[in-house]
């Protein structure tokens, strides 16, 4: 499976099939179920870590493409996007058409159908803000359903779809704003790069170009010539702590400074995982076995720099980092990608 993942890791599939539209996706899943085989849906392969033993069941490569406008009014347009549509191609198309809402999610690898699964977010935007419905095949009731956004259980890097075999995403409806300008810039780093204040709006094309430049500088835009992009992006989510846990962290971090943090609802605090990792002694370029390493550009990305490593080696590095951060700061780290036949 290594050739189908951005990490270039993973053992063989028991059976590999391609589905080019929603009808074929459902048919492939039902056929695998009739054979009593486990099913793995795989599109861009940018947020999955597959074990060295591979996947013994049926892997369905989702290759559906395209999008169509399904509703409009004076201020908004709703587009229905096939699950296999490459995400950055979609973002580029919406920016070109003057539809705002996805511009800060530029440069993210993977497919449109994967975005609701982990509520993809970056630079102050999350797809949950624009998703109005998700069409999915319900494997429990064996029917295609359309889930309203309120029924998707969106949370920080999560949803009802994540870690569940029940749902197969077929298409996603996004409601976007007709505007030549971005939404208010929320992320301080992006505002600085754009030369504006937080809360300002900028031309859509400027927002997209700047986000892509920032991501490329962190090795977060796929580039075959750059081994730092042989990753799943951020490997760990930013911890969300209650106030007591955050104060305990501050006490343990007194010698290295104030942890970067952001207030959340209900008196919780989100803390920078990258900062925790770095201050625990795992800096950029920190090497593990077999040529796996932390990216030289971004502390949150674990990379298969050699191109010849095993998943076991990557997992060993992830465990070392997780355990080191917990020992130093008492904060648990949780993996962001989906782990298939492997665990940390």
């Amino acid at each position: 499976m290594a050739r189908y993942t951005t990490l270039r890791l993973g053992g063989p599939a028991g059976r590999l099939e391609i589905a080019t539209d929603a009808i074929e996706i459902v048919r492939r899943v039902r056929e695998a179920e009739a054979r009593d085989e486990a099913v793995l849906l795989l599109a861009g392969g940018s947020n999955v870590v597959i074990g060295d033993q591979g996947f013994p069941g049926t892997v369905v490569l989702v290759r559906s493409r395209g999008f169509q406008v399904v509703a409009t009014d004076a201020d908004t347009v709703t587009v229905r996007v096939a699950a296999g549509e490459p995400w950055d191609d979609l973002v580029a198309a919406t920016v070109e058409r003057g539809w705002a809402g996805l511009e800060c999610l530029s440069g993210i690898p993977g497919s449109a159908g994967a975005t609701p699964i982990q509520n993809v977010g970056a630079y102050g935007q999350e797809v949950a803000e624009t998703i109005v419905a998700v069409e999915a095949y319900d494997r429990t009731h064996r029917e295609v359903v359309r889930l309203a956004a309120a029924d998707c259980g969106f949370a920080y890097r999560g949803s009802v779809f994540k870690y569940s075999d029940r749902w197969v995403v077929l298409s996603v409806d996004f409601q976007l704003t007709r505007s030549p300008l971005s939404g208010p810039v929320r992320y301080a780093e992006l505002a600085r790069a754009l030369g504006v204040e937080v809360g300002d709006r900028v031309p859509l094309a400027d927002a997209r170009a700047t986000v892509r430049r920032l991501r490329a500088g962190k090795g977060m835009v796929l580039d075959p010539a750059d081994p730092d992009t042989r990753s799943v992006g951020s490997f760990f989510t930013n911890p969300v702590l209650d106030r007591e846990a955050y104060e305990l962290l501050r006490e343990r971090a007194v010698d290295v400074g104030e942890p970067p943090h952001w207030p959340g609802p209900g008196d919780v605090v989100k803390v920078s995982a990258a900062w925790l990792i770095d201050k625990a002694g795992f800096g950029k370029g920190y090497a593990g076995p077999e040529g796996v390493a932390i990216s030289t550009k971004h502390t949150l990305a674990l990379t298969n720099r050699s191109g010849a490593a095993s998943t076991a080696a990557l997992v060993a590095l992830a465990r070392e980092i997780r355990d080191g951060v917990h020992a130093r700061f008492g904060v648990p780290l949780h993996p962001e990608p989906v782990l298939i036949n492997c665990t940390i």
Side-chain angles (χ1 to χ4, degrees):
M1 298 304 299
R3 63 182 294 190
Y4 300 109
T5 70
T6 54
L7 265 172
R8 296 296 180 258
L9 294 176
R15 183 191 302 263
L16 188 68
E17 298 188 337
I18 297 174
T20 58
D21 59 34
I23 293 174
E24 194 171 16
I25 293 170
V26 173
R27 179 169 62 84
R28 298 289 192 190
V29 170
R30 285 176 170 169
E31 289 173 348
E33 290 173 338
R35 295 190 297 265
D36 198 27
E37 293 176 353
V39 182
L40 173 64
L41 279 295
L42 192 65
S46 61
N47 194 52
V48 64
V49 182
I50 300 176
D52 295 314
Q53 289 70 43
F55 187 78
T58 294
V59 175
V60 179
L61 298 179
V62 177
R63 297 295 183 259
S64 53
R65 294 289 188 272
F67 67 89
Q68 59 179 318
V69 175
V70 294
T72 62
D73 60 30
D75 301 315
T76 68
V77 57
T78 301
V79 293
R80 181 164 298 160
V81 188
E85 178 71 9
W87 176 251
D88 198 49
D89 290 356
L90 172 68
V91 178
T94 62
V95 167
E96 289 170 3
R97 288 163 172 78
W99 301 339
L102 305 179
E103 60 279 355
C104 291
L105 303 175
S106 295
I108 295 175
S111 69
T115 62
I117 295 173
Q118 69 162 39
N119 185 18
V120 164
Y123 295 101
Q125 284 184 339
E126 288 183 336
V127 292
E129 299 168 359
T130 53
I131 290 175
V132 292
V134 176
E135 182 187 42
Y137 175 59
D138 182 346
R139 295 178 62 188
T140 299
H141 294 106
R142 295 180 60 80
E143 62 180 353
V144 175
V145 298
R146 192 171 300 279
L147 298 172
D151 298 321
C152 293
F154 289 126
Y156 173 62
R157 299 298 178 268
S159 70
V160 298
F161 311 108
K162 193 168 185 178
Y163 306 127
S164 172
D165 291 333
R166 177 177 177 180
W167 306 103
V168 178
V169 175
L170 302 175
S171 68
V172 187
D173 290 2
F174 297 90
Q175 186 177 72
L176 307 175
T177 303
R178 297 178 184 272
S179 173
L181 299 178
S182 70
V185 176
R186 302 172 185 166
Y187 204 76
E189 180 189 17
L190 178 57
R192 288 193 299 269
L194 286 162
V196 301
E197 298 296 322
V198 171
D200 288 348
R201 302 172 71 195
V202 300
L204 288 175
D206 290 355
R208 172 172 166 76
T210 302
V211 166
R212 283 185 57 87
R213 178 168 57 80
L214 288 172
R215 289 185 62 84
K218 299 173 182 179
M220 296 292 191
V221 176
L222 293 179
D223 179 354
D226 183 357
D228 275 332
T229 70
R230 205 175 292 129
S231 77
V232 289
S234 297
F235 195 91
F236 295 103
T237 58
N238 290 322
V240 178
L241 308 177
D242 61 29
R243 182 60 59 175
E244 181 181 1
Y246 175 65
E247 293 303 329
L248 289 173
L249 167 61
R250 291 184 67 196
E251 292 177 12
R252 297 182 71 158
V254 66
D255 59 325
V256 289
E258 182 77 11
H261 62 282
W262 304 270
D267 202 33
V268 299
V269 181
K270 185 191 299 182
V271 180
S272 168
W275 186 91
L276 293 170
I277 292 168
D278 181 67
K279 298 304 181 183
F282 305 99
K284 295 174 184 175
Y286 182 90
E290 299 180 22
V292 300
I294 293 176
S295 167
T296 64
K297 302 179 181 69
H298 195 306
T299 315
L300 271 181
L302 306 188
T303 65
N304 174 16
R305 288 187 60 81
S306 69
S310 64
T311 303
L314 187 90
V315 166
L317 176 60
R319 287 176 182 152
E320 182 185 3
I321 293 167
R322 179 202 60 190
D323 294 347
V325 167
H326 191 268
R328 175 65 176 83
F329 296 114
V331 175
L333 291 181
H334 300 287
E336 184 167 325
V338 177
L339 308 181
I340 305 295
N341 286 344
C342 61
T343 180
I344 70 164

